[in-house]
Amino acid sequence: MIIDKIRLFLLCIAWLTAIINIVFGQVALALANAGVLCLLLFFVLTLSRLKKESIAIIILLLVVASFFLDRFPSYEEFLSGGRFTLVFAALLPTMSLVRSVSLKVERVKNSQNLLKNLPTNISTSGFQIASHFFGSVINTGTFSILSAALPEDSDKNYRKSVAEACLRGMNTSATWSPFFVAFAVGQAFIDKTNSWIALGCGIFVGMLFNLVSLTVFAHGSTYNKIKLSLACLSPVFPILSLIMFSVLAVSFFFDFTALSAVVLVMPVMIVIYLLFNFNNISEIYSDTKFWLFKSSDDITVICVAMLVGYLISRSNTINHFNIFFGLSIIPAWTLLVLTPLFITVFSFMGIHPVITTTIVLSLLTMGHAEIHPALLMQAHLVGWAGGTMSSVASLSILTSSNMFQVESRELAFGPNLLTAVIFSLSAGLLLGFVNSLI
């Protein structure tokens, strides 16, 4: 147990130094380097506790690095990459804290009760829309909130339908939300301005998908479904709007990336909440600590992937690979169609999107000037959304399986499998068409 306490301490130090690094930059270089060291020690102590799947992903990432790096990086390059990675190490702990607090917010409980009282014939649409908006801020924490809104006597088929609806809703909010790891990963390769433009495109893509899928999977009038479902969100809408506005304001006003703004804004908002809800501190601390340990694998994998991506993006070998594969002569619209489909299909095979994304974005951002960066970013987000919607190895499937008490393989190989493919392909075609017009 002493090792776990040390791991928690090291992660919290890395988290704190990431925030300091965001605010003060080069002025606090020594503290950022100390944070990198703490993060490295956290990885060392976590290594023996990693799941086999996480170890496999890390090995694949190292293999990718060996192909794309023209030489072994220097100490300074590793240290610079470590400082770049710090903010990613801070994102998942931040979201764990947000998840823990959200379960205690009274307005969230009010939304749960409204969802529980929805008529059965439109409840799946209600859960899908609710998960889309909840998911835009708390990601997989959505499943714990919405599963608690199910009637206690729900049968297996009903739980499965609701779980599938929540997966469709939550995962596709990755197309427009800055709170997802997917967006953070994309920003490692795409500049800030085009990343925000991509989120603007994602609002249209995400909303269009949900409108179409509600028509296909639910019964009754689409207008009535949306109206009643949105009514369930009325208690939390002011909170979600305030969070989004705060992140956008801090990002634009202080010229931060969305990832940096999230890491800065959310702890501040939570401290303000705790000042007025002091009695919840103990439970929130315990719950956050639980989720920090539970997300150790994800933190490790994401940080390794970002370090590999950082080093690859600064390697000369990437240009040779573009020439070898002839990517520069393939039409831009074709690559935009293939990118989300490639990420999605490989996710079905158990290959985490962080691997395919690192490869695809490394190649395309360095070697194909005709692809608009914002559309490439959106293609990546679509692929991530589609892949995690129906991959048996995705955290979304595993979490929803546990929360809704449905077998993970039933969720992964159900109707969402074909839905994810159609979504990735059709969104890719749309992005390719838009790129041809630019």
Side-chain angles (χ1 to χ4, degrees):
M1 295 300 292
I2 187 67
I3 297 296
D4 284 338
K5 291 181 180 179
I6 294 173
R7 289 169 62 224
L8 182 63
F9 174 75
L10 291 170
L11 181 58
C12 288
I13 293 297
W15 185 2
L16 178 61
T17 54
I19 294 175
I20 294 173
N21 189 45
I22 291 169
V23 177
F24 297 103
Q26 292 294 319
V27 177
L29 193 63
L31 281 174
N33 290 340
V36 173
L37 177 60
C38 288
L39 188 60
L40 178 61
L41 291 174
F42 169 78
F43 293 154
V44 171
L45 295 178
T46 302
L47 192 60
S48 62
R49 292 167 168 77
L50 290 176
K51 299 173 186 175
K52 292 180 180 179
E53 294 86 350
S54 299
I55 294 174
I57 291 173
I58 291 172
I59 291 173
L60 280 172
L61 284 168
L62 294 177
V63 170
V64 169
S66 68
F67 272 108
F68 286 102
L69 294 177
D70 55 348
R71 57 181 174 78
F72 192 79
S74 66
Y75 170 76
E76 283 301 323
E77 287 172 326
F78 271 120
L79 194 59
S80 177
R83 291 194 296 269
F84 170 78
T85 303
L86 267 181
V87 69
F88 295 92
L91 176 62
L92 288 176
T94 299
M95 297 314 298
S96 295
L97 181 59
V98 171
R99 175 187 299 182
S100 301
V101 172
S102 66
L103 294 172
K104 301 297 179 184
V105 176
E106 193 62 35
R107 285 178 174 269
V108 172
K109 295 177 181 178
N110 292 338
S111 282
Q112 285 178 315
N113 291 329
L114 289 172
L115 283 167
K116 187 178 293 187
N117 295 325
L118 273 179
T120 306
N121 64 326
I122 63 165
S123 58
T124 53
S125 62
F127 277 95
Q128 180 170 329
I129 292 175
S131 66
H132 191 69
F133 287 97
F134 273 118
S136 67
V137 175
I138 59 173
N139 305 165
T140 54
T142 299
F143 301 126
S144 58
I145 290 176
L146 297 185
S147 62
L150 281 175
E152 294 180 3
D153 58 348
S154 301
D155 61 31
K156 181 181 176 180
N157 289 333
Y158 180 67
R159 292 199 311 274
K160 180 174 179 290
S161 297
V162 170
E164 289 168 345
C166 289
L167 283 166
R168 290 192 296 272
M170 193 285 289
N171 287 85
T172 52
S173 63
T175 59
W176 60 271
S177 169
F179 290 84
F180 274 81
V181 169
F183 184 68
V185 171
Q187 277 203 302
F189 301 91
I190 307 293
D191 64 276
K192 186 184 72 174
T193 301
N194 281 302
S195 295
W196 282 112
I197 294 173
L199 291 193
C201 298
I203 293 174
F204 173 76
V205 172
M207 297 302 177
L208 180 62
F209 167 82
N210 280 279
L211 282 173
V212 173
S213 60
L214 284 175
T215 305
V216 173
F217 287 101
H219 304 287
S221 167
T222 300
Y223 173 76
N224 289 332
K225 286 183 292 189
I226 293 174
K227 183 179 177 181
L228 289 171
S229 300
L230 288 176
C232 297
L233 294 174
S234 57
V236 296
F237 187 76
I239 297 177
L240 296 177
S241 299
L242 176 62
I243 290 172
M244 285 294 182
F245 174 79
S246 300
V247 169
L248 288 169
V250 168
S251 178
F252 284 111
F253 187 76
F254 293 102
D255 197 29
F256 289 145
T257 64
L259 173 59
S260 297
V262 168
V263 170
L264 281 176
V265 168
M266 296 314 298
V268 172
M269 297 187 76
I270 288 169
V271 167
I272 294 172
Y273 167 81
L274 291 176
L275 289 175
F276 294 94
N277 297 271
F278 196 77
N279 294 335
N280 291 335
I281 289 181
S282 178
E283 287 184 64
I284 290 172
Y285 169 76
S286 299
D287 196 39
T288 302
K289 184 169 71 171
F290 168 79
W291 283 109
L292 284 177
F293 285 130
K294 198 173 180 66
S295 60
S296 293
D297 281 62
D298 296 317
I299 294 171
T300 305
V301 167
I302 293 300
C303 287
V304 171
M306 290 303 95
L307 179 60
V308 168
Y310 176 88
L311 296 174
I312 286 176
S313 66
R314 285 152 180 80
S315 170
N316 293 324
T317 310
I318 197 72
N319 294 321
H320 301 318
F321 272 85
N322 276 304
I323 295 170
F324 178 78
F325 288 109
L327 293 180
S328 59
I329 62 173
I330 298 176
W333 71 267
T334 304
L335 292 173
L336 279 173
V337 172
L338 293 177
T339 293
L341 192 62
F342 179 81
I343 297 171
T344 297
V345 171
F346 272 83
S347 293
F348 296 163
M349 298 163 59
I351 298 176
H352 198 282
V354 76
I355 297 174
T356 46
T357 290
T358 301
I359 296 172
V360 169
L361 293 184
S362 295
L363 287 169
L364 297 185
T365 53
M366 298 292 289
H368 211 298
E370 293 183 6
I371 298 179
H372 195 286
L375 298 179
L376 179 58
M377 176 66 149
Q378 180 57 208
H380 143 67
L381 295 176
V382 168
W384 192 293
T388 54
M389 186 194 303
S390 196
S391 169
V392 73
S394 82
L395 182 62
S396 299
I397 290 289
L398 297 175
T399 305
S400 59
S401 170
N402 182 41
M403 292 292 107
F404 289 96
Q405 298 179 341
V406 180
E407 287 290 334
S408 58
R409 63 178 179 273
E410 292 184 34
L411 294 176
F413 301 114
N416 281 354
L417 184 68
L418 181 59
T419 302
V421 173
I422 294 173
F423 171 55
S424 298
L425 184 59
S426 56
L429 286 168
L430 177 62
L431 294 172
F433 174 72
V434 172
N435 193 82
S436 67
L437 298 178
I438 298 176

